[in-house]
């Protein structure tokens, strides 16, 4: 069953909206107060101006916080109770005037060439003060700007991406290719996510957002999974499951696996469908083996979902797994994860074998302290930096992680100097687009996209496949 509303009953939605309405100014004021004292590296270069612009607003924020604190506490507990009855996702469908569900899978030329693009991107839509811990700011503006950049690249009249010869294929792009499906992580803030959804609906009719199960045990009623799925094709079925294990900061977000079945084409031979799975695994796990357990569940749940949703006459055209895995294929501390059985089921086109990536790959986890430097300020400049191994290691984390901790990967992740190690430096690639080896597809393009320069701390990954 697809959930097109947050709650089974309208009165539950009204009560939830009222709780959110009371909470919103208090949470916003609290976030803005804390944000004043967490300037980004860019703002530190003009720190006097930063405080002159923001400190005068402090009395206003404090007044709102004090006046509405008591009703906000009541609203918070009311919202917690209502969360127990909330659906695990919202499917938003906006078809153009006169368009039917069937049109979404027959109006494009992909049916003739049987070519599809799937992309993944971590966009860090957190409350403002938490985004600033990642050296990012103005989250409300970033949400709209990310949507604008995606839509600006999705010219409906652009030609289909044509594969080039393997020797000359471009693996770093400054603009997004024509994307059929987008898997998004860290769309945690409900209001900012809605802004993004509204922008993406200009091109994409089918969007799943606000994904997660909130309760005392999953996330302490705080953050949802942060997952979002965006599609040009009709969504036939969807499900979400929360991981059984998490630790540290991930205890406050209900991370899990979003599972989607899409309709590609109806033919005389049967119904062509695709499966896409979107996930975000444990971050900074340290020596606690959480990701291993989460990968076990991904492997199990993908099989279960396909079995449960298999219909008579279905022709499975592709099976794709995307997301932020929070480990790379090269780092010695991540080797046991790279050897997980999931990778005997799903193929990673960017790796040669365990411990070795393709020569054309780059890392996707940025060095947060360097986000605001001029060499990564535009997509074009960012691309130039990624192609230069010496510059790349300044802006992208190295694949030499022994233990993945917040200290090692953020606070003490200072750029290296000296001789460049081309195998590891700037090569921490933690964002993946994988395909199931049991479904015949051909990878025509696999690329890293710099389009979101300075609006997120990850590099989006995109894969174009043709079906056989």
């Amino acid at each position: 069953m697809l959930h097109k509303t947050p709650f089974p009953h309208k009165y539950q939605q009204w009560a939830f909206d009222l709780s959110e309405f009371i909470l919103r100014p208090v949470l916003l004021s609290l976030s803005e107060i804390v944000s004043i004292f967490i300037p980004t590296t860019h703002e530190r270069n003009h720190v006097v101006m930063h405080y002159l612009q923001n400190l005068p607003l402090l009395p206003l924020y404090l007044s709102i916080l004090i006046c509405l604190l008591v009703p906000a506490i009541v609203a918070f507990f009311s919202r917690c109770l209502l969360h127990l009855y909330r659906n695990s996702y919202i499917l938003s469908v906006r078809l153009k005037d006169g368009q039917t569900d069937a049109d979404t899978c027959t109006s494009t030329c992909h049916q003739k060439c049987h070519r599809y693009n799937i992309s993944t991107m971590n966009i860090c839509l957190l409350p403002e003060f938490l985004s600033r811990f990642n050296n990012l700011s103005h989250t409300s503006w970033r949400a709209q700007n990310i949507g604008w950049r995606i839509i600006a690249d999705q010219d409906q009249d652009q030609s289909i991406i044509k594969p080039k010869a393997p020797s000359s294929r471009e693996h770093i792009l400054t603009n997004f290719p024509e994307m059929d499906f987008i898997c998004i992580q860290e769309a945690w803030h409900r209001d900012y996510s809605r802004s993004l959804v509204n922008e993406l609906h200009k091109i994409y009719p089918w969007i799943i957002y606000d994904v997660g199960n909130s309760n005392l045990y999953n996330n302490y009623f705080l953050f949802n999974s942060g997952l979002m799925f965006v599609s040009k094709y009709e969504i036939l079925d969807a499900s979400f499951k929360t991981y059984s294990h998490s630790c540290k900061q991930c205890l406050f977000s209900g991370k899990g696996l979003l599972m989607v079945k899409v309709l590609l084409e109806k033919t005389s031979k049967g119904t062509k469908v695709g499966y896409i799975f979107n996930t975000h695994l444990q971050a900074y796990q340290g020596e606690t083996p959480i990701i291993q357990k989460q990968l076990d569940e991904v492997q199990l749940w993908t099989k279960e979902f396909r079995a449960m949703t298999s219909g008579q006459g279905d022709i499975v055209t592709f099976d794709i797994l995307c997301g932020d895995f929070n480990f790379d294929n090269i780092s010695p501390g991540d080797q046991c994860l790279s050897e997980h059985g999931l990778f005997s089921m799903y193929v990673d086109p960017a790796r040669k074998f365990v411990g070795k990536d393709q020569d054309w790959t780059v890392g996707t986890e940025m060095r947060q302290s360097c986000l605001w430097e001029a060499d990564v300020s535009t997509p074009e400049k960012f691309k130039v930096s990624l192609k230069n191994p010496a510059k790349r290691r300044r802006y992208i984390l190295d694949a030499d992680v022994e233990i993945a901790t917040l200290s090692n990967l953020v606070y003490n992740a200072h750029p290296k100097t000296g001789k460049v190690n081309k195998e590891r430096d700037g090569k921490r690639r933690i964002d993946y687009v994988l395909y199931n080896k049991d479904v015949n597809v051909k990878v025509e393009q696999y690329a890293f996209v710099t389009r979101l320069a300075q609006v997120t701390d990850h590099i989006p990954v995109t894969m174009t496949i043709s079906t056989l």
Side-chain angles (χ1 to χ4, degrees):
M1 178 181 177
L2 292 171
H3 304 301
K4 294 186 178 181
T5 58
F7 290 92
H9 304 289
K10 286 187 177 180
Y11 73 87
Q12 294 170 324
Q13 180 62 52
W14 294 336
F16 190 87
D17 289 343
L18 178 61
S19 299
E20 290 266 279
F21 179 78
I22 297 170
L23 270 172
R24 189 173 288 112
V26 173
L27 295 178
L28 176 62
S29 297
L30 181 60
S31 178
E32 292 298 326
I33 291 170
V34 178
S35 296
I36 291 173
F37 303 100
I38 313 176
T40 64
T41 52
H42 175 68
E43 291 167 340
R44 287 174 204 161
N45 294 330
H46 313 279
V47 69
V48 174
M49 182 61 66
H50 167 74
Y51 285 115
L52 284 176
Q53 290 176 339
N54 291 283
L55 281 176
L57 297 172
L58 188 58
L60 173 63
Y61 294 139
L62 286 171
S63 299
I64 294 172
L65 188 62
I66 293 169
C67 292
L68 296 178
L69 183 60
V70 173
I73 292 173
V74 175
F76 174 76
F77 285 106
S78 172
R79 189 180 69 167
C80 290
L81 180 62
L82 289 164
H83 261 307
L84 299 177
Y85 302 95
R86 189 178 173 89
N87 293 324
S88 58
Y89 63 82
I90 302 172
L91 170 61
S92 178
V93 182
R94 294 186 195 173
L95 302 174
K96 295 179 181 179
D97 292 341
Q99 187 181 30
T100 65
D101 291 350
D103 293 334
T104 62
C105 69
T106 59
S107 62
T108 71
C109 66
H110 290 289
Q111 276 62 52
K112 294 180 181 179
C113 59
H114 304 289
R115 188 175 296 173
Y116 306 93
N117 176 278
I118 306 98
S119 299
T120 185
M121 57 191 76
N122 181 316
I123 58 175
C124 194
L125 290 190
L126 284 158
E128 180 68 19
F129 79 100
L130 289 176
S131 291
R132 287 172 172 270
F133 282 107
N134 287 18
N135 202 21
L136 290 164
S137 62
H138 302 94
T139 312
S140 177
W141 172 84
R142 285 194 300 109
Q144 293 179 325
N145 192 263
I146 288 169
W148 179 86
R149 295 189 193 193
I150 293 171
I151 294 303
D153 289 350
Q154 300 307 297
D155 181 357
Q156 290 176 313
D157 294 327
Q158 77 180 51
S159 61
I160 298 298
I161 301 168
K162 296 180 180 180
K164 303 175 184 177
S167 59
S168 62
R169 190 177 297 172
E170 181 60 76
H171 292 287
I172 302 177
L173 309 176
T174 55
N175 293 87
F176 288 110
E178 186 176 1
M179 299 182 290
D180 298 300
F181 309 100
I182 308 174
C183 291
I184 293 174
Q185 303 86 44
E186 293 198 12
W188 270 316
H189 196 287
R190 186 173 288 113
D191 292 337
Y192 301 152
S193 294
R194 287 196 193 104
S195 297
L196 177 60
V197 167
N198 288 333
E199 190 68 29
L200 294 176
H201 262 315
K202 293 176 181 178
I203 295 289
Y204 297 94
W206 299 77
I207 301 178
I208 293 177
Y209 72 103
D210 202 356
V211 179
N213 299 310
S214 290
N215 58 53
L216 187 61
Y217 304 102
N218 283 347
N219 59 354
Y220 298 101
F221 293 106
L222 294 176
F223 297 104
N224 61 22
S225 71
L227 300 176
M228 185 184 292
F229 178 72
V230 182
S231 176
K232 287 183 178 178
Y233 293 80
E234 181 182 355
I235 294 174
L236 295 176
D237 212 330
S239 182
F240 173 78
K241 285 192 174 184
T242 306
Y243 291 128
S244 304
H245 302 86
S246 61
C247 67
K248 300 175 183 177
Q249 71 280 352
C250 290
L251 290 170
F252 304 102
S253 61
K255 289 183 176 180
L257 181 69
L258 176 60
M259 301 166 276
V260 183
K261 178 184 180 181
V262 294
L263 171 62
L264 300 175
E265 185 182 7
K266 292 181 178 179
T267 70
S268 58
K269 295 180 180 180
T271 303
K272 291 186 177 182
V273 300
Y275 286 92
I276 303 177
F277 303 94
N278 182 17
T279 193
H280 189 187
L281 302 180
Q282 172 72 42
Y284 315 123
Q285 70 171 3
E287 296 182 351
T288 310
I290 297 296
I291 296 180
Q292 185 86 19
K293 297 174 183 178
Q294 292 177 343
L295 290 174
D296 291 341
E297 291 183 321
V298 171
Q299 196 170 5
L300 174 64
W301 293 342
T302 53
K303 293 177 181 177
E304 288 181 345
F305 182 73
R306 280 189 56 174
M308 289 174 58
T309 59
S310 178
Q312 187 175 3
D314 278 359
I315 303 171
V316 178
T317 305
F318 58 73
D319 176 345
I320 305 294
L321 173 60
C322 296
D324 177 355
F325 282 34
N326 275 311
F327 67 87
D328 66 75
N329 179 50
I330 301 174
S331 290
D334 291 338
Q335 184 174 344
C336 63
L337 299 173
S338 298
E339 295 173 342
H340 191 276
L342 181 77
F343 292 99
S344 63
M345 179 177 166
Y346 284 92
V347 177
D348 179 4
R351 72 154 70 176
K352 285 186 176 179
F353 47 82
V354 174
K356 172 76 173 175
D357 277 356
Q358 302 286 354
D359 295 336
W360 45 261
T361 64
V362 297
T364 60
E365 185 173 16
M366 296 187 66
R367 208 178 293 275
Q368 293 173 0
S369 61
C370 301
L371 287 177
W372 293 98
E373 295 188 11
D375 283 343
V376 292
S377 60
T378 68
E380 293 75 20
K381 290 180 179 179
F382 198 2
K383 178 179 178 178
V384 171
S385 296
L386 289 178
K387 286 192 163 188
N388 183 322
K391 284 189 175 182
R392 184 178 65 233
R393 71 173 179 177
R394 177 169 182 80
Y395 300 110
I396 306 297
L397 291 177
D398 304 318
D400 59 359
V401 178
E402 296 285 350
I403 301 176
T405 65
L406 195 60
S407 175
N408 292 340
L409 297 174
V410 180
Y411 302 133
N412 295 316
H414 307 299
K416 290 180 180 177
T417 57
K419 186 177 179 180
V420 176
N421 183 334
K422 293 184 179 181
E423 296 293 322
R424 295 179 181 271
D425 291 355
K427 289 274 196 169
R428 184 161 171 79
R429 182 179 60 89
I430 65 173
D431 299 274
Y432 294 80
V433 183
L434 315 175
Y435 66 90
N436 193 313
K437 69 175 186 179
D438 293 331
V439 182
N440 289 326
V441 299
K442 178 184 178 182
V443 177
E444 299 204 347
Q445 185 181 52
Y446 196 98
F448 306 90
V449 187
T450 60
R451 186 66 162 111
L452 300 186
Q454 290 196 332
V455 293
T456 186
D457 55 356
H458 284 244
I459 297 176
V461 180
T462 183
M463 181 173 76
T464 301
I465 60 171
S466 60
T467 58
L468 306 176

